[in-house]
Amino acid sequence: MAQALVTAAAHVLLLYAHTFGIVYSAAIGIALLLDDVRRGRRRWAPYLAIASAWLLFAPWIAFLLEQARMAQPNAWFPVPSLRRFTGVMERLTSSLSYAAIVAAAALLLGRWRRREPEGRADSGVVFLVLLGTAVVLVAPVVFLESRLAKPVFVDRYVLPSALGFPLLVAPALDVIGRRLAWRRWRPALWVLFATLCIASVVRGARTDRQQRPMITAASEGAHGLPVVVESAFEFVELDQYREPGERYLYPLDWRLAVDGSSAPGSVQEYKLMALWRNAGYVGAEVADGAAILCRTPRFLVLESAGRPWFERRVRADSLWTISGTDATRDTRRLWLVSRRGPLPECTASEALPSVHPSVARAPQH
C-alpha cells in the first residue's frame, strides 16, 4: 500500500511539473508492464496508482485543449529537422554534469547490487535497462510525431530523456567493474565523480554572465531608444532582464500572425501576448503595431526569422529611413528606424491597442 501511494505521488508530481510529464509517466508505466510480463507477474497496485495520478490531472485537459485551439491555424512549434534532433541529444549528453550523473548512477548501482541477492539484483538491473530504454525513446518518438503529425518537439520538453542514458550505461559499467575487480576500481570512480562535480561548479562560476543568452541585452548602443522585438519569446526574455534605461516593445499584428510567411507559432504568440496585456501581466510595451509606429518616431528593431513585421510594416514603407547599428544579438544586427515626417493615417484612436476578437474579453486588472 505504501509503495502504491509513493508511486501515485511521484506520478502526480511528474504530471503537474509539466504537461509533457504525461508522456514520461506513460513511458515509466510501459517499462513496468514489460518487466511484469517478463517475470510472469500479475499485479494491479502500481498501475492503479499511475491511473489515479492521471485522474487527478484530468481537470486540466480542457484547458490544454483550449490552449491548443488558440494556436490555430498554425502549429505551436516548427517541424524539427533531423539535424536539430541530433544536435539537441548531443547537447543534452555532452556536459561535465551529465558525466557526473553517469558516474553516480554506476556507483549507486554497484552499492545496491552488493546488498541484494544475486537473482533479485539481476532482475532489478533488467528493469533499469527497460526503464532507461523507455525514457530515452520518448525523444525519438516525439521527433517522429512532430515530423509525421503535429509538431510538439521542444528542446526542454525532451530533457528528461537524457536521464535514461545513465540507466543504460550504469549496468554496463557495473558489469565491466565486476569483471575487473570492482572493489579495486571503485575508489577511482568515486574520485572521477567528485572531480566532475567540482569541475562543473567551477566552470559555471567562471562563465561570463554576458555570454549567457538569457541575460545578453539587445540594446547595447541603443542610446536610450526603445527596441521593437519581433519574437514574443525574445521580448519576454529581454524585458525580464532589462537594465535601467532599456525599453522593449512588442508589436501585435493579427494579419501578419495568420499570414503564410509567418513562422509556425505566430498565432499562438499573438494571442498569448494579447491576453497577457489585457490581463495586466504586461503593460503598454505590448501594443498594436500601428500604434507603435504612430507614437514612436525613432526606434530600433531586432529582427527574428519568420516574423515579417519589420519587412512588411517598416522596410516596405517609404515613410521610414533605416540604417544599421553596431549593436548585435546572436550575430543579428539591430536596425535604427526613423520617421521621415508625420504619418497621415496616425490618429489618436490608433494609440489604443486593438486585438483579435478571440482575446478581446480577457479580464482587466
Side-chain angles (χ1 to χ4, degrees):
M1 184 63 179
Q3 185 176 4
L5 291 175
V6 171
T7 301
H11 282 263
V12 167
L13 291 175
L14 186 60
L15 291 170
Y16 274 83
H18 192 275
T19 53
F20 223 66
I22 194 170
V23 179
Y24 290 97
S25 176
I28 295 171
I30 291 172
L32 283 171
L33 180 62
L34 292 176
D35 189 53
D36 285 342
V37 171
R38 180 186 66 85
R39 297 188 187 191
R41 181 172 57 185
R42 294 184 178 181
R43 54 177 182 166
W44 297 100
Y47 306 105
L48 291 175
I50 295 175
S52 66
W54 287 26
L55 188 62
L56 289 173
F57 186 73
W60 288 99
I61 294 178
F63 294 94
L64 296 176
L65 292 176
E66 174 64 14
Q67 199 174 30
R69 184 194 66 79
M70 288 187 65
Q72 302 303 319
N74 298 323
W76 282 46
F77 313 110
V79 177
S81 63
L82 180 60
R83 182 176 181 180
R84 180 187 171 195
F85 169 72
T86 56
V88 168
M89 298 311 296
E90 180 182 358
R91 290 197 304 272
L92 292 180
T93 57
S94 60
S95 66
L96 293 174
S97 300
Y98 191 77
I101 293 174
V102 173
L107 288 167
L108 292 174
L109 178 60
R111 188 178 183 87
W112 175 75
R113 284 189 66 98
R114 292 193 303 274
R115 295 184 176 184
E116 297 292 335
E118 189 67 23
R120 182 176 180 182
D122 290 340
S123 294
V125 170
V126 172
F127 172 69
L128 286 181
V129 172
L130 291 173
L131 180 60
T133 302
V135 172
V136 167
L137 286 178
V138 167
V141 168
V142 170
F143 170 73
L144 291 175
E145 160 73 11
S146 299
R147 294 288 299 183
L148 301 176
K150 190 175 184 66
V152 291
F153 185 89
V154 181
D155 299 9
R156 62 182 182 275
Y157 289 6
V158 297
L159 179 62
S161 288
L163 298 178
F165 286 106
L167 300 180
L168 299 176
V169 176
L173 293 178
D174 181 65
V175 171
I176 295 173
R178 285 188 289 123
R179 290 186 177 182
L180 298 178
W182 171 258
R183 292 182 180 276
R184 185 175 59 187
W185 289 93
R186 188 172 58 195
L189 195 55
W190 275 109
V191 172
L192 175 62
F193 170 65
T195 302
L196 290 171
C197 289
I198 295 173
S200 298
V201 174
V202 172
R203 183 178 181 182
R206 289 182 175 178
T207 300
D208 184 1
R209 289 176 60 87
Q210 294 303 320
Q211 294 178 359
R212 301 179 186 178
M214 281 292 287
I215 305 176
T216 302
S219 62
E220 296 176 2
H223 306 296
L225 293 176
V227 180
V228 177
V229 184
E230 292 187 301
S231 167
F233 294 106
E234 280 195 310
F235 165 79
V236 171
E237 168 191 317
L238 293 168
D239 190 61
Q240 174 69 29
Y241 292 101
R242 68 181 185 273
E243 298 291 338
E246 294 181 352
R247 185 186 177 203
Y248 299 97
L249 305 174
Y250 178 77
L252 294 171
D253 195 314
W254 174 249
R255 290 184 179 180
L256 289 183
V258 297
D259 190 273
S261 63
S262 295
S266 296
V267 172
Q268 177 241 353
E269 287 190 18
Y270 173 92
K271 293 185 176 182
L272 179 66
M273 297 306 292
L275 286 170
W276 279 7
R277 192 274 314 280
N278 289 359
Y281 299 145
V282 293
E285 61 270 16
V286 175
D288 184 81
I292 291 178
L293 296 178
C294 172
R295 62 189 182 216
T296 316
R298 197 163 181 260
F299 56 91
L300 291 162
V301 175
L302 175 62
E303 283 189 285
S304 297
R307 277 87 175 179
W309 183 84
F310 175 60
E311 290 292 333
R312 302 272 288 276
R313 301 297 189 236
V314 180
R315 191 187 291 275
D317 192 335
S318 60
L319 288 174
W320 302 94
T321 60
I322 302 169
S323 59
T325 69
D326 294 332
T328 60
R329 175 178 169 83
D330 302 332
T331 71
R332 289 172 293 157
R333 177 179 292 185
L334 272 76
W335 298 96
L336 175 62
V337 179
S338 301
R339 189 191 301 164
R340 296 179 186 273
L343 291 179
E345 71 277 12
C346 183
T347 62
S349 62
E350 287 184 297
L352 297 175
S354 61
V355 297
H356 188 263
S358 65
V359 294
R361 293 186 298 273
Q364 301 290 329
H365 294 284

